[in-house]
């Protein structure tokens, strides 16, 4: 295992080194939170794919393949579909807004007053997303070093918090590009073909497994529909995803780069399901489906390759964890703390805003690590996060982008009614039930339409300013953001 340990240690040291390098570039709020809005198509697509394909998509995706066969790809597949829809239909408009958070978009569209409440819901989502990614460190480090769960969470979480705090989005972008390459090599180019060969090829897999393992819809229509509601729609509105869209240097970059990343997700989804199916042939009696990834890596891969594939798993977890962490801190600082204190941000960028956002990343990072140590069930935590996001914020966000008649009162009613409905239904039906997201989303839609129609339309001046921003002709950064010397 010495070679495998060396690969992992070098990888982790490299993450910290990139955090230090990123610190030198993050000298303004825009640089720190959205990488100066200067990413080109290649870097944008790599980092976008890295953030959406986390531990749940890698370890969980293989686990679903182990349990259901090829149809286990649907969870990650719906993530890819959501990213494609975001990129093709919405990303250009989102990028042109020149904002930092989803709540700022809601304030622009509806004329203020929606920010704090929507910010609280988005903060809860990003916090739980960061927590679920952090919990996953325990599984990986247990395979590597037989490490205590709490120590593993602290170790993995501390590395992510360190490089995210140092350089903000620049550090996260650089590390995500490395993580994207490592994941591609480790999972797609190494683990996938080795797993299929070890299982005897597809003909042997078909001979040893029930036919439903090769049914594309074997996981069930209701489950697929729920995945679409939670993950496809969740991709359209999450702060962690939007904050990456804000890093694109142009509309074309956001659309093209996101389309490439979404297509990559579809390939990754199928790869995970095939690896899980091969693991079912090799290890038909595992105690837990989620052990399939670690088991096949530990027992079937040669020395060195095993370390690289485990580094790929770490990369998957770290990319999602760091993206969720900076999103959580951005929302906490800009949408909640600053508004509650009554701070009106100036139009110009200020260097001390970097210090404030850096402090919030550190604070939120500690909170994420502590919460991850206290929780055990990753699936339940992730379900709570997405139920709150989709049930509380999907309707007012998409309504603001697509329906002129929507009002701020309708948006607030939608967030409150949808959020409370989701929480109440999870308490009644159980966290993992489908009803909370179904009925929560429906109640949010009814509240939005009914209250919007019952109240005065949004002021025409607000809508005019909104249209200007959507067209890319407004926003303080257009006048104040300095052009770097190397451009």
């Amino acid at each position: 295992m010495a070679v495998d340990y060396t690969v992992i240690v070098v990888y982790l040291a490299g993450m910290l080194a990139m955090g230090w390098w990123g610190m030198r570039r993050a000298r303004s709020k825009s640089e720190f939170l959205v990488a100066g809005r200067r990413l080109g198509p290649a870097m944008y697509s790599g980092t976008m794919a890295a953030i959406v394909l986390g531990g749940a998509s890698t370890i969980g995706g293989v686990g679903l393949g182990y349990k259901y066969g090829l149809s286990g790809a649907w969870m990650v597949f719906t993530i890819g579909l959501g990213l494609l829809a975001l990129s093709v239909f919405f990303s250009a408009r989102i990028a042109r807004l020149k904002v930092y958070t989803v709540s700022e978009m809601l304030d622009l569209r509806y004329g203020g007053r929606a920010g704090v409440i929507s910010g609280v819901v988005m903060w809860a989502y990003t916090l739980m997303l960061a927590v679920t990614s952090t919990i996953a460190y325990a599984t990986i480090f247990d395979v590597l070093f037989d490490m205590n769960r709490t120590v593993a969470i602290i170790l993995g979480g501390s590395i992510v918090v360190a490089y995210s705090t140092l350089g903000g989005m620049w550090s996260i972008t650089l590390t995500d590009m490395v993580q994207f390459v490592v994941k591609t090599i480790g999972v797609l180019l190494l683990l996938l073909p080795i797993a299929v060969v070890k299982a005897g090829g597809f003909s042997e897999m078909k001979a040893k497994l029930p036919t439903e393992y090769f049914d594309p819809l074997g996981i069930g229509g209701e489950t697929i529909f729920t995945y679409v509601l939670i993950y496809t729609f969740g991709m359209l509105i999450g702060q962690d995803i939007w904050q990456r869209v804000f890093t694109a240097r142009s509309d074309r970059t956001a659309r093209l780069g996101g389309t490439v990343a979404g297509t990559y997700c579809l390939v990754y989804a199928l790869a995970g399901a095939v690896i899980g199916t091969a693991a079912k042939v090799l290890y038909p009696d595992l105690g837990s489906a989620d052990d399939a990834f670690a088991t096949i890596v530990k027992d079937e891969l040669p020395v060195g390759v095993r370390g690289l594939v485990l580094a790929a798993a770490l990369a998957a977890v770290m990319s999602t964890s760091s993206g969720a962490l900076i999103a959580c801190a951005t929302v906490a600082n800009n949408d909640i703390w600053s508004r509650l204190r009554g701070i009106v941000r100036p139009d110009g960028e200020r260097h001390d805003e970097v210090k404030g956002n850096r402090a919030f990343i550190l604070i939120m990072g500690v909170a994420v690590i502590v919460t991850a140590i206290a929780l055990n069930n990753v699936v339940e935590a992730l379900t709570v996060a997405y139920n709150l996001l989709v049930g509380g914020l999907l309707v007012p966000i998409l309504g603001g982008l697509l329906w002129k008649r929507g009002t701020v009162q309708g948006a607030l009613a939608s967030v409150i009614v949808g959020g409370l409905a989701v929480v109440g239904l999870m308490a009644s039906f159980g966290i993992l039930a489908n009803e909370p997201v179904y009925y929560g989303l429906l109640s949010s839609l009814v509240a939005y339409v009914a209250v919007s129609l019952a109240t005065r339309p949004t002021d025409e001046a607000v809508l005019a300013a909104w249209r200007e921003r959507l067209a890319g002709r407004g926003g303080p950064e257009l006048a104040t953001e300095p052009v770097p010397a190397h451009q």
Side-chain angles (χ1 to χ4, degrees):
M1 290 289 286
V3 176
D4 296 327
Y5 292 160
T6 302
V7 171
I8 298 296
V9 170
V10 169
Y11 167 75
L12 294 176
M15 296 300 99
L16 291 173
M18 289 183 184
W20 183 262
W21 187 87
M23 182 176 66
R24 302 173 61 185
R25 301 198 64 167
R27 299 186 181 279
S28 71
K29 179 181 177 181
S30 177
E31 295 281 353
F32 190 81
L33 294 182
V34 291
R37 309 189 195 274
R38 290 193 275 127
L39 298 191
M43 186 167 283
Y44 177 88
S45 59
T47 58
M48 182 63 88
I51 187 177
V52 300
L53 296 174
S57 299
T58 303
I59 299 171
V62 172
L64 287 172
Y66 182 88
K67 190 172 182 180
Y68 298 105
L70 298 185
S71 67
W74 273 105
M75 183 186 78
V76 183
F77 201 82
T78 55
I79 290 174
L81 292 178
L83 188 51
L84 285 171
L86 174 72
S87 302
V88 173
F89 299 112
F90 299 108
S91 62
R93 282 184 282 178
I94 292 170
R96 286 195 294 264
L97 289 174
K98 303 297 182 191
V99 294
Y100 293 102
T101 68
V102 174
S103 294
E104 287 181 33
M105 167 264 167
L106 292 174
D107 278 354
L108 279 172
R109 166 59 181 82
Y110 296 111
R113 295 183 292 170
V116 173
I117 294 176
S118 62
V120 169
V121 176
M122 189 63 77
W123 173 80
Y125 157 73
T126 53
L127 178 72
M128 295 308 292
L129 186 61
V131 166
T132 58
S133 301
T134 305
I135 291 174
Y137 295 127
T139 301
I140 299 169
F141 282 114
D142 178 56
V143 174
L144 280 171
F145 308 116
D146 193 24
M147 187 178 290
N148 174 271
R149 177 182 182 276
T150 300
V151 175
I153 289 173
I154 292 173
L155 175 61
S158 297
I159 292 171
V160 170
V161 172
Y163 72 70
S164 301
T165 302
L166 285 172
M169 187 58 82
W170 269 123
S171 293
I172 292 171
T173 297
L174 294 169
T175 54
D176 276 0
M177 276 305 297
V178 175
Q179 289 158 358
F180 170 74
V181 172
V182 170
K183 275 193 289 193
T184 301
I185 296 173
V187 175
L188 296 185
L189 302 184
L190 292 176
L191 182 57
L192 174 61
I194 290 174
V196 172
V197 170
K198 291 283 187 178
F202 284 104
S203 58
E204 187 71 14
M205 291 162 63
K206 285 184 177 181
K208 289 187 175 181
L209 294 174
T211 55
E212 56 263 28
Y213 264 71
F214 302 91
D215 180 358
L217 304 178
I219 199 170
E222 184 179 355
T223 299
I224 295 171
F225 180 67
T226 303
Y227 283 159
V228 170
L229 275 186
I230 293 178
Y231 297 113
T232 301
F233 286 118
M235 286 294 107
L236 298 180
I237 59 174
Q239 170 68 26
D240 52 324
I241 309 302
W242 277 41
Q243 200 156 342
R244 294 310 173 96
V245 176
F246 300 152
T247 65
R249 71 182 178 199
S250 67
D251 299 354
R252 183 176 180 276
T253 296
R255 188 181 293 112
L256 175 62
T259 301
V260 171
T263 304
Y264 179 90
C265 290
L266 304 184
V267 175
Y268 200 88
L270 185 59
V274 171
I275 293 167
T277 305
K280 183 67 176 180
V281 173
L282 295 167
Y283 312 100
D285 300 314
L286 289 179
S288 170
D290 284 340
D291 292 336
F293 179 88
T295 303
I296 197 169
V297 169
K298 190 174 184 179
D299 293 350
E300 302 297 335
L301 298 186
V303 172
V305 173
R306 180 170 51 205
L308 184 59
V309 173
L310 286 171
L314 265 180
V317 175
M318 284 185 163
S319 56
T320 300
S321 181
S322 58
L325 176 59
I326 194 171
C328 179
T330 303
V331 170
N333 187 20
N334 292 269
D335 292 337
I336 301 175
W337 179 245
S338 294
R339 294 169 191 261
L340 292 178
R341 293 180 63 197
I343 295 175
V344 179
R345 291 187 295 274
D347 285 346
E349 297 283 358
R350 300 183 310 175
H351 290 297
D352 61 351
E353 288 187 323
V354 174
K355 183 178 180 181
N357 282 291
R358 184 173 281 139
F360 265 87
I361 291 180
L362 181 59
I363 293 168
M364 291 299 107
V366 172
V368 164
I369 292 172
V370 171
T371 307
I373 292 171
L375 293 180
N376 282 313
N377 196 312
V378 178
V379 176
E380 288 191 358
L382 193 63
T383 302
V384 170
Y386 275 98
N387 281 354
L388 283 171
L389 177 70
V390 174
L393 290 179
L394 178 67
V395 170
I397 292 172
L398 293 189
L401 289 169
L402 301 173
W403 191 40
K404 179 182 176 180
R405 187 61 180 81
T407 67
V408 66
Q409 293 88 351
L412 287 171
S414 179
V415 173
I416 294 170
V417 171
L420 290 177
V422 164
V423 172
L425 290 166
M426 283 193 295
S428 176
F429 288 95
I431 289 176
L432 298 179
N434 292 326
E435 287 82 0
V437 71
Y438 292 169
Y439 298 124
L441 189 55
L442 180 61
S443 63
S444 178
L445 177 61
V446 170
Y448 180 71
V449 173
V451 175
S452 291
L453 292 176
T455 52
R456 294 180 61 184
T458 303
D459 187 88
E460 187 56 39
V462 172
L463 290 177
W466 166 252
R467 287 191 292 269
E468 285 291 301
R469 292 291 282 268
L470 279 179
R473 294 191 293 268
E477 288 183 17
L478 297 182
T480 61
E481 188 69 16
V483 177
H486 63 270
Q487 285 194 329

Short mmCIF file of all heavy atoms in Angstrom, two decimals, residues 28-30 32-33 100-101 164-165 168 243 325-326 329-335 338 345 349-364:
data_model
loop_
_atom_site.label_atom_id
_atom_site.label_comp_id
_atom_site.label_asym_id
_atom_site.label_seq_id
_atom_site.Cartn_x
_atom_site.Cartn_y
_atom_site.Cartn_z
N SER A 28 -10.00 40.76 -5.08
CA SER A 28 -11.24 41.53 -5.05
C SER A 28 -12.38 40.57 -4.77
O SER A 28 -12.23 39.35 -4.86
CB SER A 28 -11.47 42.27 -6.37
OG SER A 28 -11.81 41.35 -7.39
N LYS A 29 -13.53 41.13 -4.45
CA LYS A 29 -14.70 40.29 -4.18
C LYS A 29 -15.04 39.42 -5.39
O LYS A 29 -15.34 38.23 -5.26
CB LYS A 29 -15.90 41.17 -3.82
CG LYS A 29 -17.18 40.40 -3.54
CD LYS A 29 -18.30 41.36 -3.22
CE LYS A 29 -19.62 40.62 -3.01
NZ LYS A 29 -20.73 41.54 -2.73
N SER A 30 -14.99 40.02 -6.57
CA SER A 30 -15.29 39.28 -7.79
C SER A 30 -14.29 38.15 -8.02
O SER A 30 -14.68 37.03 -8.38
CB SER A 30 -15.29 40.24 -8.99
OG SER A 30 -15.52 39.54 -10.18
N PHE A 32 -12.53 36.62 -5.73
CA PHE A 32 -12.62 35.65 -4.65
C PHE A 32 -13.87 34.77 -4.78
O PHE A 32 -13.81 33.56 -4.55
CB PHE A 32 -12.64 36.35 -3.29
CG PHE A 32 -12.50 35.42 -2.11
CD1 PHE A 32 -11.25 34.96 -1.73
CD2 PHE A 32 -13.61 34.99 -1.41
CE1 PHE A 32 -11.12 34.09 -0.65
CE2 PHE A 32 -13.49 34.13 -0.33
CZ PHE A 32 -12.24 33.68 0.04
N LEU A 33 -15.01 35.36 -5.17
CA LEU A 33 -16.27 34.61 -5.17
C LEU A 33 -16.61 33.99 -6.51
O LEU A 33 -17.26 32.94 -6.56
CB LEU A 33 -17.43 35.53 -4.73
CG LEU A 33 -17.39 36.02 -3.28
CD1 LEU A 33 -18.62 36.87 -2.99
CD2 LEU A 33 -17.31 34.85 -2.30
N TYR A 100 -23.98 37.75 -7.45
CA TYR A 100 -23.19 36.73 -6.75
C TYR A 100 -24.04 35.59 -6.20
O TYR A 100 -23.54 34.51 -5.94
CB TYR A 100 -22.42 37.38 -5.60
CG TYR A 100 -21.35 38.34 -6.05
CD1 TYR A 100 -21.55 39.72 -6.00
CD2 TYR A 100 -20.14 37.88 -6.55
CE1 TYR A 100 -20.57 40.60 -6.42
CE2 TYR A 100 -19.15 38.75 -6.98
CZ TYR A 100 -19.37 40.12 -6.92
OH TYR A 100 -18.41 40.97 -7.35
N THR A 101 -25.34 35.85 -5.97
CA THR A 101 -26.18 34.83 -5.35
C THR A 101 -27.54 34.77 -6.04
O THR A 101 -27.97 35.70 -6.73
CB THR A 101 -26.42 35.10 -3.85
OG1 THR A 101 -27.23 36.28 -3.71
CG2 THR A 101 -25.11 35.28 -3.10
N SER A 164 -10.05 26.40 0.27
CA SER A 164 -11.17 27.27 -0.07
C SER A 164 -11.05 28.62 0.61
O SER A 164 -11.34 29.67 0.00
CB SER A 164 -12.50 26.61 0.33
OG SER A 164 -12.67 25.36 -0.32
N THR A 165 -10.62 28.62 1.85
CA THR A 165 -10.47 29.87 2.60
C THR A 165 -9.34 30.72 2.03
O THR A 165 -9.44 31.94 1.94
CB THR A 165 -10.21 29.58 4.09
OG1 THR A 165 -11.29 28.80 4.62
CG2 THR A 165 -10.08 30.86 4.90
N GLY A 168 -10.43 31.19 -2.25
CA GLY A 168 -11.78 31.33 -2.73
C GLY A 168 -12.00 30.57 -4.02
O GLY A 168 -11.50 29.46 -4.24
N GLN A 243 -23.25 29.75 -8.93
CA GLN A 243 -21.99 30.46 -8.66
C GLN A 243 -20.92 30.05 -9.67
O GLN A 243 -20.04 30.85 -10.00
CB GLN A 243 -21.53 30.19 -7.23
CG GLN A 243 -20.54 31.23 -6.71
CD GLN A 243 -20.53 31.33 -5.20
OE1 GLN A 243 -21.45 30.90 -4.52
NE2 GLN A 243 -19.48 31.91 -4.65
N LEU A 325 -19.33 24.57 -0.05
CA LEU A 325 -18.84 25.39 1.06
C LEU A 325 -18.78 26.86 0.68
O LEU A 325 -19.25 27.72 1.44
CB LEU A 325 -17.46 24.90 1.50
CG LEU A 325 -16.77 25.72 2.61
CD1 LEU A 325 -17.63 25.76 3.86
CD2 LEU A 325 -15.39 25.16 2.91
N ILE A 326 -18.20 27.19 -0.47
CA ILE A 326 -18.12 28.60 -0.85
C ILE A 326 -19.51 29.16 -1.14
O ILE A 326 -19.79 30.33 -0.86
CB ILE A 326 -17.17 28.81 -2.05
CG1 ILE A 326 -16.85 30.31 -2.19
CG2 ILE A 326 -17.74 28.23 -3.33
CD1 ILE A 326 -15.76 30.61 -3.21
N ALA A 329 -21.07 29.86 2.32
CA ALA A 329 -20.48 31.06 2.93
C ALA A 329 -20.92 32.33 2.21
O ALA A 329 -21.18 33.36 2.85
CB ALA A 329 -18.96 30.94 2.92
N THR A 330 -21.03 32.28 0.89
CA THR A 330 -21.46 33.44 0.12
C THR A 330 -22.88 33.84 0.48
O THR A 330 -23.19 35.02 0.68
CB THR A 330 -21.37 33.15 -1.39
OG1 THR A 330 -20.04 32.77 -1.73
CG2 THR A 330 -21.76 34.36 -2.22
N VAL A 331 -23.75 32.85 0.57
CA VAL A 331 -25.14 33.12 0.95
C VAL A 331 -25.22 33.64 2.39
O VAL A 331 -25.93 34.62 2.67
CB VAL A 331 -26.00 31.84 0.79
CG1 VAL A 331 -27.38 32.04 1.41
CG2 VAL A 331 -26.13 31.48 -0.68
N ALA A 332 -24.49 33.01 3.30
CA ALA A 332 -24.53 33.43 4.70
C ALA A 332 -24.07 34.87 4.88
O ALA A 332 -24.68 35.64 5.64
CB ALA A 332 -23.66 32.49 5.55
N ASN A 333 -23.03 35.25 4.16
CA ASN A 333 -22.48 36.60 4.30
C ASN A 333 -23.29 37.63 3.53
O ASN A 333 -23.72 38.65 4.08
CB ASN A 333 -21.03 36.62 3.82
CG ASN A 333 -20.34 37.94 4.08
OD1 ASN A 333 -20.78 38.73 4.93
ND2 ASN A 333 -19.27 38.21 3.38
N ASN A 334 -23.54 37.38 2.25
CA ASN A 334 -24.15 38.38 1.38
C ASN A 334 -25.67 38.45 1.49
O ASN A 334 -26.24 39.54 1.34
CB ASN A 334 -23.75 38.11 -0.07
CG ASN A 334 -22.28 38.35 -0.33
OD1 ASN A 334 -21.87 39.44 -0.70
ND2 ASN A 334 -21.46 37.33 -0.14
N ASP A 335 -26.33 37.32 1.72
CA ASP A 335 -27.79 37.31 1.71
C ASP A 335 -28.42 37.36 3.09
O ASP A 335 -29.58 37.76 3.22
CB ASP A 335 -28.30 36.04 0.99
CG ASP A 335 -27.99 36.05 -0.48
OD1 ASP A 335 -27.79 37.15 -1.03
OD2 ASP A 335 -27.93 34.97 -1.09
N SER A 338 -25.25 40.32 6.03
CA SER A 338 -25.19 41.72 5.60
C SER A 338 -26.57 42.37 5.60
O SER A 338 -26.73 43.53 6.01
CB SER A 338 -24.59 41.83 4.19
OG SER A 338 -23.24 41.42 4.20
N ARG A 345 -24.37 47.45 0.36
CA ARG A 345 -23.08 47.31 -0.30
C ARG A 345 -22.87 48.41 -1.33
O ARG A 345 -23.78 48.73 -2.10
CB ARG A 345 -22.98 45.93 -0.98
CG ARG A 345 -22.89 44.80 0.01
CD ARG A 345 -22.63 43.49 -0.73
NE ARG A 345 -23.73 43.14 -1.59
CZ ARG A 345 -24.80 42.47 -1.17
NH1 ARG A 345 -24.88 42.11 0.08
NH2 ARG A 345 -25.77 42.17 -2.00
N GLU A 349 -16.01 47.58 -5.89
CA GLU A 349 -15.41 46.47 -5.18
C GLU A 349 -14.48 47.00 -4.09
O GLU A 349 -13.79 48.00 -4.29
CB GLU A 349 -14.60 45.60 -6.15
CG GLU A 349 -15.43 44.95 -7.23
CD GLU A 349 -16.23 43.77 -6.73
OE1 GLU A 349 -16.09 43.43 -5.54
OE2 GLU A 349 -16.99 43.21 -7.52
N ARG A 350 -14.45 46.32 -2.96
CA ARG A 350 -13.57 46.73 -1.88
C ARG A 350 -12.75 45.54 -1.44
O ARG A 350 -13.25 44.44 -1.32
CB ARG A 350 -14.39 47.25 -0.68
CG ARG A 350 -15.26 48.44 -1.01
CD ARG A 350 -15.96 48.93 0.24
NE ARG A 350 -16.61 47.81 0.93
CZ ARG A 350 -17.21 47.95 2.12
NH1 ARG A 350 -17.24 49.11 2.72
NH2 ARG A 350 -17.78 46.91 2.67
N HIS A 351 -11.45 45.79 -1.18
CA HIS A 351 -10.56 44.68 -0.81
C HIS A 351 -10.95 44.04 0.50
O HIS A 351 -10.75 42.86 0.69
CB HIS A 351 -9.11 45.18 -0.76
CG HIS A 351 -8.55 45.50 -2.11
ND1 HIS A 351 -8.39 44.56 -3.09
CD2 HIS A 351 -8.13 46.68 -2.64
CE1 HIS A 351 -7.88 45.12 -4.18
NE2 HIS A 351 -7.72 46.41 -3.94
N ASP A 352 -11.53 44.80 1.45
CA ASP A 352 -11.86 44.20 2.74
C ASP A 352 -13.04 43.22 2.63
O ASP A 352 -13.27 42.44 3.54
CB ASP A 352 -12.15 45.28 3.79
CG ASP A 352 -13.35 46.17 3.43
OD1 ASP A 352 -13.84 46.06 2.29
OD2 ASP A 352 -13.77 46.96 4.28
N GLU A 353 -13.78 43.26 1.52
CA GLU A 353 -14.84 42.28 1.32
C GLU A 353 -14.26 40.88 1.14
O GLU A 353 -14.91 39.89 1.43
CB GLU A 353 -15.71 42.67 0.13
CG GLU A 353 -16.59 43.88 0.42
CD GLU A 353 -17.56 44.15 -0.71
OE1 GLU A 353 -17.17 43.97 -1.88
OE2 GLU A 353 -18.69 44.55 -0.42
N VAL A 354 -13.04 40.80 0.61
CA VAL A 354 -12.38 39.51 0.51
C VAL A 354 -12.14 38.93 1.90
O VAL A 354 -12.40 37.75 2.16
CB VAL A 354 -11.04 39.64 -0.25
CG1 VAL A 354 -10.27 38.33 -0.22
CG2 VAL A 354 -11.29 40.08 -1.69
N LYS A 355 -11.68 39.76 2.80
CA LYS A 355 -11.43 39.32 4.17
C LYS A 355 -12.70 38.82 4.84
O LYS A 355 -12.71 37.78 5.50
CB LYS A 355 -10.82 40.47 4.98
CG LYS A 355 -10.46 40.10 6.40
CD LYS A 355 -9.82 41.29 7.11
CE LYS A 355 -9.46 40.93 8.55
NZ LYS A 355 -8.85 42.10 9.26
N GLY A 356 -13.82 39.54 4.62
CA GLY A 356 -15.08 39.13 5.22
C GLY A 356 -15.57 37.81 4.67
O GLY A 356 -16.01 36.93 5.43
N ASN A 357 -15.51 37.64 3.35
CA ASN A 357 -15.95 36.39 2.75
C ASN A 357 -15.03 35.23 3.13
O ASN A 357 -15.49 34.10 3.32
CB ASN A 357 -16.02 36.53 1.23
CG ASN A 357 -17.26 37.28 0.77
OD1 ASN A 357 -18.37 36.77 0.87
ND2 ASN A 357 -17.07 38.49 0.27
N ARG A 358 -13.74 35.52 3.26
CA ARG A 358 -12.80 34.48 3.69
C ARG A 358 -13.13 34.02 5.12
O ARG A 358 -13.10 32.82 5.41
CB ARG A 358 -11.38 35.03 3.62
CG ARG A 358 -10.30 34.02 3.96
CD ARG A 358 -8.93 34.62 3.69
NE ARG A 358 -8.59 34.59 2.28
CZ ARG A 358 -7.98 35.55 1.62
NH1 ARG A 358 -7.66 36.68 2.25
NH2 ARG A 358 -7.70 35.43 0.34
N ALA A 359 -13.48 34.95 5.98
CA ALA A 359 -13.84 34.60 7.36
C ALA A 359 -15.09 33.74 7.39
O ALA A 359 -15.19 32.77 8.17
CB ALA A 359 -14.06 35.88 8.18
N PHE A 360 -16.06 34.05 6.51
CA PHE A 360 -17.29 33.25 6.49
C PHE A 360 -17.04 31.84 5.97
O PHE A 360 -17.69 30.89 6.43
CB PHE A 360 -18.37 33.96 5.67
CG PHE A 360 -19.31 34.78 6.50
CD1 PHE A 360 -18.99 36.09 6.82
CD2 PHE A 360 -20.48 34.24 6.98
CE1 PHE A 360 -19.85 36.85 7.61
CE2 PHE A 360 -21.34 34.98 7.77
CZ PHE A 360 -21.03 36.29 8.09
N ILE A 361 -16.13 31.68 5.03
CA ILE A 361 -15.80 30.33 4.57
C ILE A 361 -15.21 29.52 5.72
O ILE A 361 -15.55 28.34 5.92
CB ILE A 361 -14.82 30.37 3.39
CG1 ILE A 361 -15.50 30.93 2.15
CG2 ILE A 361 -14.27 28.98 3.09
CD1 ILE A 361 -14.62 31.00 0.92
N LEU A 362 -14.35 30.13 6.49
CA LEU A 362 -13.74 29.44 7.63
C LEU A 362 -14.80 29.06 8.67
O LEU A 362 -14.83 27.92 9.16
CB LEU A 362 -12.67 30.33 8.27
CG LEU A 362 -11.92 29.74 9.46
CD1 LEU A 362 -11.21 28.44 9.07
CD2 LEU A 362 -10.92 30.76 10.01
N ILE A 363 -15.69 30.00 8.99
CA ILE A 363 -16.74 29.74 9.98
C ILE A 363 -17.68 28.64 9.49
O ILE A 363 -18.00 27.70 10.23
CB ILE A 363 -17.53 31.03 10.27
CG1 ILE A 363 -16.63 32.06 10.97
CG2 ILE A 363 -18.75 30.74 11.15
CD1 ILE A 363 -17.23 33.45 11.03
N MET A 364 -18.14 28.76 8.25
CA MET A 364 -19.04 27.74 7.71
C MET A 364 -18.34 26.39 7.58
O MET A 364 -18.95 25.34 7.78
CB MET A 364 -19.57 28.19 6.34
CG MET A 364 -20.53 29.36 6.36
SD MET A 364 -22.05 29.03 7.31
CE MET A 364 -21.75 30.04 8.76
#
